[in-house]
Structure formats: structure tokens, C-alpha cells
């Protein structure tokens, strides 16, 4: 037996033992003291965790306050159109009942993935109603093969049942009853709610940026079900077997990929692209490799499947529910009045005419905000403007960093294609010499024909590689200022210890020179001269 097979067998044995030990509570195999538990039909339950979103100091009762949350990562250049970093505002709809604890907002997210047992419980609510017999033996397995419409429907059924049963199933003095009275309801989480929680939220601290939430140096397989013998080994596993993330959420990355509420959009320059598409699944499944699985992993699936002539259902896709309120909850009429007051305060920027604080057309917007803050304004508005100026300044710095990283990556990719053009040239020359030698020795016609075909193939490949190289030159010339590119060129010259840079080192300078030539000639260049310049380095 190979080591890999033996390791997989041992993993399955250990996991089976743990699963057997945990079936004492099929719906909460790893209970925690502050779990929020809701009843379900058929004596089932669903367990939630509070996902806290800190509110800035002094804004504990400001319902217009929210916080930018960073999503995505740039580990894989091939998926940046889908996973590039971007900041999305987030705030929880609930506040603690105790005024002394209202310095943070929160929403609820299911502690585990939606299981076969919970699915069976909610399916008893269909017409005609079914009995409470649960599926045998796999109640702790995540429910998969579900469409986006299925997930939304389960949230609707569960919400309707809870509202009908709240007075008898919930303690009227308890937290769950209070949250229901605030118009709380079950739904799919938004993508920002899901990813913020998957990264560990405020509990992750400095480790929030880690796409898998696993501490550096710790084995990923201890916390995540991913593809391969040392982890999932090609199968879906029961809930709660792995270590949780910092928010004590289990299996939020790996095992089943999870459907979220939002329509899919691409990312574009730090924001979401304007076209809405199909539904989004997050996190990756037990069939996704450990180098790409993570909180930023996201894929689009079409809601409808033409071959099935119905909704798309994928055997690796499941979900977990969120519990959150409406914005204008009728249970707190003072909240609506407060929202209106806060919105008016945000919009009230009367500078008193063209005084010292009046903006100047065409000026730096950050400087304009600072000038407004020095004008004839009340102290609270001045403070808000100063905060906004700082926020804009910080966002500009972040955007500049993202621009520089993108320019650096573009130079590397362009240089890589430059190297490919040179490689193609060497192959063409090598086969050309072979063809001359074959003619001298009167080689068989079949051998000569194969050599000619190789020359044609490499010539075609060179044309394709050069066209791509030229496209990257054009993109760089149009998207980046000369000083940005020169700054990244200088940086790359200092990174020659990096193997990825070293492989293309001699083509980096030529790529930047060609960008300048493209800009100077407005794209009218001599292709053969460029190929020669690539080959002469």
C-alpha cells in the first residue's frame, strides 16, 4: 500500500470515528457557549454565530454608519477579473439590546452548512406536507445539488414557519425572540457578509487578509476539506469535523461550495463591474485544490440549465443561511427617524457662500474637502469632512498601490511573451539549419517534409506570441503613465533574486522601451525591428 493510500485510509478512519462521536447532536456537533440556536420543524435546529462588524467610535447609534470591508485577493493573475481586491461597505442590521454593548453591529450566519437533516425538516412544510422521517445515515452531510432558487425557497419556508411558531417555540424574554421582532428573517448571505465571515471578521485581527484564515505554518488540512488524499479524498464530509475559523464557523471554506444571494459581477479596478449575471458560489469545494481554495474563490453559475430544461443544480454546491433584519424595521420606529436625521446631516454642507471654505473648481478633491472643513461649518460637520478627506487620501494610497502592483505584473507578463517570441525565433533557426543539413545529405523526403512542417508551426506560433506581446505593449502604453512604468522597471531591477523575475530579466527593459516607442509613434511600429530587438538582447 502506498503512503498516499495509507494516509487516505487513516484519514477516513479517524474522520469516521469523530463523526460517530459527534452524532449525539446532529445539528450542533461542536457546541459553543454563545451559539444562537433557532428551532426547526421535526425537532431539528439550526445554529448561528453572531458576526460582529465594529462601528467607529462615537457612531454606536448612527444607522447610516458602515465600514469598508476588503474582499478578494490577487494570488492568481488568471482570475483577477473575478477575484481582484475591492472594498465593499458592510454593517450588521442588529445591535445588542444592552446599550453598553452597542458599539458594534452584527448579523447571524449559520455555524454549519445546510445539511440533509435540515433539508428533510423543511421539506415537511411542502404541500401536501411530509412526515418527519429523516434520511438515514447522512443527516450531518451538507445538502448539495441545490439551485439558487432552492436555497431562496428554503429560506422563505423557514422564515414563514418561524413567524408562525414564534409565540410557542421561542422564549419571549430571550434573544432569538427579540431578533424576530426586529423583522429578522432567513435568507442567503450576501457575498460581502459571507466573505467577511469566512476570513474571520474582526476576530481574525491581522490574519484577516489570509484567504484561508489558517494561521501561517498550520496545516491547511486541519481546517479545510480540499481536493487530494491528505484532505477530502474526493468526497463530501459531515459537518463539524474540522477546526473552525476565528468566528467558530465550520467548513465555510471547502467541503461544499456555498451559494450566496448576489448576482455574479466581474471586478474592475477595485470595484464591481456593471453587468449582473448568474448566481455566485464561494469558497470552493472538496474538489478544489489547496493552492486556490479560499475565501476569495468565487465562480458564476447560470441559474438555468438548457440540457436539464430547468434550474442549474451542481453536486458540489450547497449553502448556509444568514439571519438579518430589514433596514427600516417597524419594531423600532425611532430608527427610521434617526436614519432620516443622519442622512440630512450627511447632506448638510452649507459653506456660507464663497468664503474661505468655498471649493475651487478643478482643485484636488481632497484639498477641497480640507478647505470646506476650515470654512464656516459646525464642529460635527467639520469633523465629518476631515474624516472624509482622510478616507479619500487612504483610498487613493490603496488605489495607487493596486495600480503599481498591476503595472509590475503587466511588465512581467509582457516580458514573458517577449521571451516566448525569442524562443520561437531560436526554434525556427534551429529547424532551418536542420533543413539545410538534410538537403546536403539528401535526407528522405519524409524527414524533410517534417522539418518544413516544424518551421511552419513555429513561425505560426511566433506570429501568435508576437501579436499577444504587442497587445500587452498597447495596454501598458494606454493604461499607465510613463513614470509609473519606469518606477516599476527600477523595482524589478532590484528583484533579480526572484526566480520569476530572473527568467525574464533581459526582456523587461525591452518591453518598457517598446511601450515608450508605441506611445511615441502612436502604435506605428516596425514588427520585424521589434522582433530583432527582442532577439539581440
Amino acid at each position: 500500500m502506498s503512503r498516499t493510500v495509507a494516509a487516505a485510509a487513516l484519514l477516513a478512519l479517524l474522520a469516521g470515528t469523530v463523526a460517530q462521536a459527534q452524532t449525539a447532536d446532529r445539528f450542533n456537533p461542536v457546541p459553543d457557549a454563545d451559539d444562537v440556536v433557532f428551532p426547526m420543524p421535526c425537532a431539528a435546529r439550526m445554529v448561528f454565530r453572531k458576526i460582529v462588524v465594529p462601528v467607529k467610535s462615537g457612531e454606536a447609534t448612527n444607522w447610516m454608519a458602515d465600514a469598508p470591508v476588503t474582499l478578494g485577493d490577487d494570488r492568481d493573475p488568471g482570475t483577477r477579473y473575478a477575484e481582484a481586491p475591492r472594498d465593499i461597505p458592510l454593517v450588521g442590521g442588529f445591535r445588542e439590546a444592552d446599550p453598553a454593548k452597542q458599539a458594534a453591529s452584527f448579523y447571524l450566519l449559520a455555524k454549519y452548512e445546510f445539511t440533509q437533516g435540515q433539508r428533510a425538516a423543511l421539506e415537511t412544510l411542502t404541500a401536501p406536507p411530509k412526515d418527519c422521517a429523516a434520511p438515514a445515515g447522512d443527516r450531518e452531510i451538507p445538502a448539495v445539488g441545490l439551485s439558487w432558487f432552492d436555497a431562496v425557497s428554503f429560506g422563505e419556508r423557514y422564515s414563514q414557519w418561524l413567524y408562525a411558531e414564534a409565540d410557542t417555540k421561542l422564549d419571549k424574554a430571550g434573544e432569538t425572540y427579540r431578533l424576530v421582532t426586529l423583522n429578522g428573517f432567513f435568507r442567503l448571505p450576501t457575498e460581502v457578509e459571507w466573505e467577511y465571515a469566512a476570513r474571520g471578521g474582526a476576530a481574525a485581527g491581522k490574519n484577516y487578509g489570509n484567504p484561508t484564515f489558517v494561521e501561517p505554518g498550520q496545516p491547511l488540512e486541519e481546517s479545510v476539506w480540499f481536493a487530494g488524499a491528505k484532505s477530502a479524498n474526493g468526497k463530501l464530509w459531515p459537518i463539524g469535523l474540522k477546526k473552525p475559523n476565528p468566528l467558530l464557523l465550520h467548513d465555510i471554506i471547502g467541503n461544499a461550495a456555498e451559494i450566496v444571494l448576489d448576482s455574479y459581477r466581474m471586478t474592475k479596478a477595485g470595484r464591481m463591474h456593471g453587468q449582473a449575471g448568474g448566481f455566485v458560489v464561494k469558497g470552493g469545494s472538496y474538489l478544489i485544490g489547496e493552492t486556490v481554495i479560499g475565501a476569495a474563490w468565487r465562480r458564476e453559475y447560470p441559474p438555468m440549465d438548457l440540457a436539464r430544461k430547468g434550474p442549474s443544480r451542481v453536486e458540489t454546491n450547497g449553502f448556509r443561511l444568514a439571519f438579518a433584519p430589514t433596514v427600516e424595521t417597524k419594531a423600532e420606529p425611532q430608527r427610521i427617524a434617526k436614519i432620516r436625521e443622519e442622512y440630512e446631516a450627511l447632506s448638510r454642507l452649507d459653506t456660507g457662500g464663497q468664503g474661505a471654505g468655498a471649493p475651487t473648481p478643478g482643485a484636488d478633491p481632497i484639498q477641497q474637502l480640507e478647505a470646506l472643513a476650515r470654512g464656516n461649518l459646525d464642529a460635527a460637520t467639520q469633523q465629518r469632512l476631515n474624516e472624509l478627506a482622510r478616507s479619500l487620501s487612504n483610498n487613493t494610497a490603496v488605489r495607487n498601490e493596486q495600480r503599481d502592483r498591476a503595472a509590475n505584473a503587466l511588465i512581467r507578463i509582457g516580458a514573458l511573451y517577449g521571451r516566448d517570441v525569442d524562443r520561437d525565433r531560436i526554434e525556427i533557426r534551429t529547424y532551418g539549419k536542420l533543413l539545410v543539413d538534410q538537403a546536403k545529405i539528401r535526407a528522405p523526403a519524409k524527414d524533410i517534409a517534417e522539418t518544413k512542417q516544424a518551421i511552419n508551426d513555429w513561425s505560426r506560433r511566433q506570429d501568435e506570441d508576437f501579436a499577444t506581446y504587442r497587445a500587452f505593449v498597447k495596454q501598458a502604453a494606454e493604461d499607465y503613465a510613463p513614470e509609473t512604468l519606469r518606477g516599476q522597471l527600477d523595482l524589478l531591477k532590484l528583484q533579480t533574486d526572484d526566480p520569476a523575475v530572473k527568467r525574464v530579466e533581459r526582456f523587461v527593459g525591452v518591453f518598457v522601451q517598446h511601450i515608450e516607442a508605441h506611445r511615441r509613434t502612436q502604435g506605428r511600429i516596425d514588427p520585424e525591428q521589434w522582433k530583432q530587438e527582442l532577439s539581440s538582447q
Side-chain angles (χ1 to χ4, degrees):
M1 180 183 293
S2 70
R3 289 185 179 181
T4 300
V5 174
L10 179 60
L11 173 66
L13 177 62
L14 291 174
T17 303
V18 175
Q20 187 175 11
Q22 291 179 336
T23 53
D25 188 339
R26 296 180 182 276
F27 303 105
N28 193 10
V30 190
D32 293 288
D34 53 350
D35 289 339
V36 179
V37 183
F38 283 95
M40 297 183 74
C42 302
R45 295 180 307 285
M46 188 172 290
V47 184
F48 288 80
R49 299 293 302 170
K50 286 185 178 181
I51 311 302
V52 174
V53 185
V55 178
K56 285 194 302 183
S57 177
E59 294 193 343
T61 59
N62 183 356
W63 292 103
M64 289 300 295
D66 55 15
V69 170
T70 300
L71 307 185
D73 62 46
D74 53 5
R75 288 188 296 171
D76 183 357
T79 59
R80 283 181 183 149
Y81 70 92
E83 299 173 5
R86 66 260 183 216
D87 287 340
I88 309 292
L90 175 64
V91 70
F94 294 123
R95 303 291 170 94
E96 296 287 356
D98 183 354
K101 298 180 180 179
Q102 289 184 345
S105 64
F106 69 90
Y107 56 98
L108 300 180
L109 190 64
K111 185 175 179 178
Y112 309 98
E113 293 173 320
F114 184 70
T115 65
Q116 295 281 19
Q118 290 166 335
R119 176 180 183 174
L122 291 181
E123 284 180 339
T124 64
L125 304 178
T126 57
K130 299 180 181 179
D131 61 32
C132 285
D138 59 358
R139 281 180 283 185
E140 298 91 350
I141 295 289
V144 293
L146 300 170
S147 71
W148 183 90
F149 303 103
D150 294 331
V152 171
S153 176
F154 280 120
E156 177 194 7
R157 276 186 250 175
Y158 192 8
S159 297
Q160 187 171 336
W161 177 87
L162 184 67
Y163 270 67
E165 302 288 335
D167 288 339
T168 58
K169 300 288 188 182
L170 299 178
D171 177 6
K172 292 187 178 181
E175 175 77 341
T176 53
Y177 191 84
R178 181 182 78 91
L179 300 181
V180 171
T181 65
L182 294 175
N183 290 18
F185 64 102
F186 299 106
R187 59 165 170 79
L188 286 171
T190 65
E191 184 170 3
V192 63
E193 288 172 341
W194 186 96
E195 187 166 335
Y196 176 75
R199 290 176 176 273
K206 294 181 180 179
N207 200 36
Y208 175 84
N210 186 335
T212 60
F213 70 72
V214 177
E215 292 284 353
Q218 297 299 311
L220 184 63
E221 57 269 23
E222 291 184 359
S223 301
V224 177
W225 293 115
F226 55 84
K230 69 179 181 179
S231 183
N233 202 32
K235 62 176 287 188
L236 196 63
W237 290 83
I239 60 171
L241 298 184
K242 295 286 189 181
K243 290 181 179 179
N245 82 346
L247 292 171
L248 303 185
L249 298 168
H250 289 262
D251 307 319
I252 194 163
I253 297 174
N255 216 23
E258 300 187 12
I259 303 168
V260 296
L261 184 64
D262 312 47
S263 296
Y264 176 87
R265 295 174 185 266
M266 296 183 295
T267 63
K268 179 181 179 182
R271 64 172 177 83
M272 304 310 292
H273 184 261
Q275 181 187 350
F279 66 86
V280 182
V281 295
K282 294 285 293 179
S285 73
Y286 62 93
L287 297 180
I288 300 300
E290 63 181 305
T291 60
V292 295
I293 202 166
W297 189 95
R298 63 196 299 264
R299 295 293 183 271
E300 177 186 25
Y301 284 87
M304 302 301 294
D305 185 331
L306 182 60
R308 293 172 180 252
K309 303 189 185 305
S312 294
R313 294 185 172 92
V314 179
E315 288 306 314
T316 54
N317 291 347
F319 65 91
R320 72 181 67 213
L321 288 175
F323 189 82
T326 57
V327 174
E328 299 185 15
T329 169
K330 292 182 173 63
E332 291 184 338
Q334 71 275 17
R335 181 191 293 197
I336 300 174
K338 195 80 168 66
I339 288 172
R340 290 172 179 159
E341 177 185 332
E342 288 157 358
Y343 186 84
E344 291 302 319
L346 287 174
S347 306
R348 202 180 299 125
L349 299 179
D350 183 5
T351 63
Q354 297 296 314
T360 303
D364 185 321
I366 297 175
Q367 292 178 353
Q368 290 192 58
L369 283 170
E370 291 171 344
L372 279 169
R374 292 191 297 270
N376 185 24
L377 300 171
D378 62 87
T381 305
Q382 287 179 342
Q383 181 181 356
R384 286 182 181 277
L385 286 170
N386 284 326
E387 289 175 355
L388 184 55
R390 285 195 297 272
S391 177
L392 280 173
S393 181
N394 291 338
N395 288 341
T396 299
V398 170
R399 195 155 46 246
N400 288 344
E401 289 179 1
Q402 292 173 345
R403 176 206 62 201
D404 290 345
R405 288 199 300 269
N408 188 290
L410 187 58
I411 292 173
R412 292 189 189 205
I413 295 171
L416 185 63
Y417 273 97
R419 186 192 67 171
D420 288 348
V421 171
D422 188 42
R423 175 208 60 195
D424 301 338
R425 175 192 62 83
I426 293 171
E427 294 290 344
I428 293 169
R429 186 178 62 182
T430 300
Y431 279 104
K433 289 180 178 179
L434 176 61
L435 186 62
V436 171
D437 293 339
Q438 287 175 330
K440 288 179 180 179
I441 64 173
R442 298 184 179 181
K446 177 177 177 293
D447 292 348
I448 293 175
E450 288 178 351
T451 302
K452 288 181 177 179
Q453 183 60 48
I455 293 172
N456 290 336
D457 290 343
W458 281 106
S459 297
R460 184 175 64 255
R461 184 174 299 181
Q462 185 186 47
D463 290 341
E464 293 171 353
D465 288 338
F466 184 75
T468 304
Y469 175 83
R470 187 170 176 179
F472 278 116
V473 169
K474 180 176 183 292
Q475 179 183 345
E478 293 177 352
D479 291 354
Y480 298 99
E483 56 269 20
T484 297
L485 295 169
R486 283 195 292 270
Q488 292 309 305
L489 175 60
D490 292 341
L491 178 60
L492 286 166
K493 288 178 180 178
L494 298 174
Q495 295 176 329
T496 52
D497 290 339
D498 183 343
V501 175
K502 198 167 188 64
R503 284 195 295 269
V504 296
E505 180 181 359
R506 67 191 186 94
F507 298 98
V508 165
V510 181
F511 182 71
V512 174
Q513 291 173 14
H514 285 168
I515 294 169
E516 294 172 349
H518 177 95
R519 187 181 288 113
R520 185 174 58 253
T521 64
Q522 296 182 327
R524 295 186 294 273
I525 57 97
D526 183 347
E528 294 306 318
Q529 179 184 342
W530 277 26
K531 291 177 185 178
Q532 184 60 36
E533 288 169 352
L534 286 168
S535 65
S536 63
Q537 300 302 307

